[in-house]
mmCIF file of all heavy atoms in Angstrom:
data_model
loop_
_atom_site.group_PDB
_atom_site.id
_atom_site.type_symbol
_atom_site.label_atom_id
_atom_site.label_comp_id
_atom_site.label_asym_id
_atom_site.label_seq_id
_atom_site.Cartn_x
_atom_site.Cartn_y
_atom_site.Cartn_z
ATOM 1 N N LEU A 43 -5.131 -0.368 10.266
ATOM 2 C CA LEU A 43 -6.225 -1.169 9.730
ATOM 3 C C LEU A 43 -7.060 -1.790 10.850
ATOM 4 O O LEU A 43 -8.295 -1.804 10.781
ATOM 5 C CB LEU A 43 -5.679 -2.269 8.811
ATOM 6 C CG LEU A 43 -5.079 -1.803 7.488
ATOM 7 C CD1 LEU A 43 -4.280 -2.926 6.845
ATOM 8 C CD2 LEU A 43 -6.159 -1.290 6.559
ATOM 9 N N ILE A 52 -4.071 -0.297 -0.847
ATOM 10 C CA ILE A 52 -2.852 -0.179 -0.047
ATOM 11 C C ILE A 52 -1.665 -0.174 -0.999
ATOM 12 O O ILE A 52 -1.521 -1.086 -1.813
ATOM 13 C CB ILE A 52 -2.715 -1.355 0.942
ATOM 14 C CG1 ILE A 52 -3.905 -1.384 1.909
ATOM 15 C CG2 ILE A 52 -1.386 -1.269 1.699
ATOM 16 C CD1 ILE A 52 -3.997 -2.649 2.739
ATOM 17 N N LEU A 67 1.887 -8.853 4.211
ATOM 18 C CA LEU A 67 0.939 -9.631 3.408
ATOM 19 C C LEU A 67 0.564 -10.941 4.092
ATOM 20 O O LEU A 67 -0.586 -11.381 4.013
ATOM 21 C CB LEU A 67 1.500 -9.894 2.012
ATOM 22 C CG LEU A 67 1.603 -8.668 1.105
ATOM 23 C CD1 LEU A 67 2.255 -9.049 -0.219
ATOM 24 C CD2 LEU A 67 0.249 -8.027 0.878
ATOM 25 N N GLU A 68 1.529 -11.570 4.767
ATOM 26 C CA GLU A 68 1.223 -12.804 5.496
ATOM 27 C C GLU A 68 0.180 -12.544 6.583
ATOM 28 O O GLU A 68 -0.779 -13.294 6.737
ATOM 29 C CB GLU A 68 2.501 -13.393 6.103
ATOM 30 C CG GLU A 68 3.424 -13.995 5.066
ATOM 31 C CD GLU A 68 4.781 -14.400 5.636
ATOM 32 O OE1 GLU A 68 5.019 -14.210 6.860
ATOM 33 O OE2 GLU A 68 5.620 -14.878 4.851
ATOM 34 N N GLU A 69 0.372 -11.445 7.330
ATOM 35 C CA GLU A 69 -0.592 -11.076 8.382
ATOM 36 C C GLU A 69 -1.940 -10.706 7.769
ATOM 37 O O GLU A 69 -2.988 -11.117 8.258
ATOM 38 C CB GLU A 69 -0.063 -9.898 9.197
ATOM 39 C CG GLU A 69 1.111 -10.221 10.057
ATOM 40 C CD GLU A 69 0.730 -10.684 11.443
ATOM 41 O OE1 GLU A 69 -0.390 -10.396 11.907
ATOM 42 O OE2 GLU A 69 1.566 -11.354 12.066
ATOM 43 N N GLN A 70 -1.914 -9.921 6.702
ATOM 44 C CA GLN A 70 -3.152 -9.484 6.055
ATOM 45 C C GLN A 70 -3.944 -10.694 5.551
ATOM 46 O O GLN A 70 -5.159 -10.761 5.747
ATOM 47 C CB GLN A 70 -2.852 -8.524 4.902
ATOM 48 C CG GLN A 70 -4.124 -8.015 4.234
ATOM 49 C CD GLN A 70 -3.896 -7.364 2.885
ATOM 50 O OE1 GLN A 70 -2.923 -7.656 2.195
ATOM 51 N NE2 GLN A 70 -4.801 -6.488 2.510
ATOM 52 N N ASP A 71 -3.261 -11.617 4.916
ATOM 53 C CA ASP A 71 -3.933 -12.787 4.343
ATOM 54 C C ASP A 71 -4.564 -13.677 5.410
ATOM 55 O O ASP A 71 -5.523 -14.391 5.130
ATOM 56 C CB ASP A 71 -2.958 -13.606 3.491
ATOM 57 C CG ASP A 71 -2.605 -12.915 2.180
ATOM 58 O OD1 ASP A 71 -3.307 -11.963 1.780
ATOM 59 O OD2 ASP A 71 -1.610 -13.328 1.554
ATOM 60 N N GLN A 72 -4.036 -13.654 6.621
ATOM 61 C CA GLN A 72 -4.554 -14.484 7.702
ATOM 62 C C GLN A 72 -5.703 -13.826 8.461
ATOM 63 O O GLN A 72 -6.298 -14.456 9.327
ATOM 64 C CB GLN A 72 -3.430 -14.849 8.677
ATOM 65 C CG GLN A 72 -2.386 -15.748 8.070
ATOM 66 C CD GLN A 72 -1.208 -15.995 8.995
ATOM 67 O OE1 GLN A 72 -1.243 -15.666 10.166
ATOM 68 N NE2 GLN A 72 -0.152 -16.569 8.445
ATOM 69 N N ASP A 73 -5.996 -12.568 8.158
ATOM 70 C CA ASP A 73 -7.043 -11.828 8.868
ATOM 71 C C ASP A 73 -8.202 -11.577 7.906
ATOM 72 O O ASP A 73 -8.092 -10.767 6.984
ATOM 73 C CB ASP A 73 -6.465 -10.504 9.379
ATOM 74 C CG ASP A 73 -7.412 -9.751 10.289
ATOM 75 O OD1 ASP A 73 -8.642 -9.788 10.040
ATOM 76 O OD2 ASP A 73 -6.932 -9.109 11.239
ATOM 77 N N ALA A 74 -9.307 -12.272 8.128
ATOM 78 C CA ALA A 74 -10.449 -12.170 7.211
ATOM 79 C C ALA A 74 -10.951 -10.739 7.055
ATOM 80 O O ALA A 74 -11.426 -10.358 5.990
ATOM 81 C CB ALA A 74 -11.581 -13.076 7.697
ATOM 82 N N ASP A 75 -10.836 -9.931 8.110
ATOM 83 C CA ASP A 75 -11.297 -8.543 8.039
ATOM 84 C C ASP A 75 -10.390 -7.672 7.175
ATOM 85 O O ASP A 75 -10.816 -6.648 6.666
ATOM 86 C CB ASP A 75 -11.381 -7.927 9.444
ATOM 87 C CG ASP A 75 -12.480 -8.541 10.283
ATOM 88 O OD1 ASP A 75 -13.469 -9.050 9.708
ATOM 89 O OD2 ASP A 75 -12.350 -8.525 11.518
ATOM 90 N N LEU A 76 -9.143 -8.073 7.016
ATOM 91 C CA LEU A 76 -8.169 -7.247 6.290
ATOM 92 C C LEU A 76 -7.813 -7.798 4.913
ATOM 93 O O LEU A 76 -7.283 -7.076 4.073
ATOM 94 C CB LEU A 76 -6.882 -7.108 7.107
ATOM 95 C CG LEU A 76 -7.015 -6.608 8.541
ATOM 96 C CD1 LEU A 76 -5.648 -6.487 9.177
ATOM 97 C CD2 LEU A 76 -7.780 -5.294 8.601
ATOM 98 N N SER A 77 -8.104 -9.061 4.683
ATOM 99 C CA SER A 77 -7.625 -9.719 3.467
ATOM 100 C C SER A 77 -8.298 -9.207 2.200
ATOM 101 O O SER A 77 -7.786 -9.439 1.103
ATOM 102 C CB SER A 77 -7.804 -11.233 3.573
ATOM 103 O OG SER A 77 -9.183 -11.551 3.672
ATOM 104 N N THR A 78 -9.408 -8.494 2.336
ATOM 105 C CA THR A 78 -10.126 -8.027 1.150
ATOM 106 C C THR A 78 -9.571 -6.729 0.569
ATOM 107 O O THR A 78 -9.913 -6.372 -0.553
ATOM 108 C CB THR A 78 -11.618 -7.804 1.470
ATOM 109 O OG1 THR A 78 -11.721 -6.838 2.522
ATOM 110 C CG2 THR A 78 -12.281 -9.102 1.880
ATOM 111 N N PHE A 79 -8.704 -6.034 1.308
ATOM 112 C CA PHE A 79 -8.189 -4.761 0.800
ATOM 113 C C PHE A 79 -7.144 -4.998 -0.284
ATOM 114 O O PHE A 79 -6.167 -5.722 -0.053
ATOM 115 C CB PHE A 79 -7.592 -3.911 1.925
ATOM 116 C CG PHE A 79 -8.604 -3.532 2.969
ATOM 117 C CD1 PHE A 79 -8.485 -3.985 4.265
ATOM 118 C CD2 PHE A 79 -9.690 -2.739 2.634
ATOM 119 C CE1 PHE A 79 -9.423 -3.642 5.223
ATOM 120 C CE2 PHE A 79 -10.633 -2.394 3.580
ATOM 121 C CZ PHE A 79 -10.500 -2.852 4.889
ATOM 122 N N PRO A 80 -7.337 -4.401 -1.454
ATOM 123 C CA PRO A 80 -6.369 -4.611 -2.535
ATOM 124 C C PRO A 80 -5.023 -3.950 -2.237
ATOM 125 O O PRO A 80 -4.957 -2.890 -1.624
ATOM 126 C CB PRO A 80 -7.043 -3.975 -3.750
ATOM 127 C CG PRO A 80 -8.074 -3.057 -3.213
ATOM 128 C CD PRO A 80 -8.455 -3.556 -1.863
ATOM 129 N N VAL A 81 -3.964 -4.616 -2.679
ATOM 130 C CA VAL A 81 -2.597 -4.162 -2.430
ATOM 131 C C VAL A 81 -1.869 -4.016 -3.758
ATOM 132 O O VAL A 81 -1.952 -4.894 -4.619
ATOM 133 C CB VAL A 81 -1.833 -5.167 -1.537
ATOM 134 C CG1 VAL A 81 -0.369 -4.775 -1.395
ATOM 135 C CG2 VAL A 81 -2.498 -5.289 -0.168
ATOM 136 N N GLN A 94 2.355 -13.394 -4.118
ATOM 137 C CA GLN A 94 1.293 -13.884 -4.991
ATOM 138 C C GLN A 94 1.279 -13.009 -6.234
ATOM 139 O O GLN A 94 1.171 -11.801 -6.143
ATOM 140 C CB GLN A 94 -0.065 -13.794 -4.301
ATOM 141 C CG GLN A 94 -0.237 -14.700 -3.128
ATOM 142 C CD GLN A 94 -1.586 -14.481 -2.468
ATOM 143 O OE1 GLN A 94 -2.429 -13.745 -2.950
ATOM 144 N NE2 GLN A 94 -1.787 -15.140 -1.344
ATOM 145 N N ARG A 97 -1.127 -10.025 -7.196
ATOM 146 C CA ARG A 97 -0.985 -8.643 -6.737
ATOM 147 C C ARG A 97 -0.113 -7.874 -7.720
ATOM 148 O O ARG A 97 0.962 -8.340 -8.093
ATOM 149 C CB ARG A 97 -0.359 -8.614 -5.348
ATOM 150 C CG ARG A 97 -1.312 -9.157 -4.287
ATOM 151 C CD ARG A 97 -0.753 -8.899 -2.903
ATOM 152 N NE ARG A 97 -1.753 -9.136 -1.902
ATOM 153 C CZ ARG A 97 -1.797 -10.243 -1.135
ATOM 154 N NH1 ARG A 97 -0.906 -11.183 -1.286
ATOM 155 N NH2 ARG A 97 -2.730 -10.373 -0.231
#
Side-chain angles (χ1 to χ4, degrees):
L43 291 166
I52 300 169
L67 291 177
E68 288 172 0
E69 291 270 339
Q70 182 195 25
D71 288 345
Q72 293 174 11
D73 188 324
D75 292 334
L76 307 182
S77 63
T78 59
F79 298 116
V81 174
Q94 293 177 6
R97 291 189 168 103

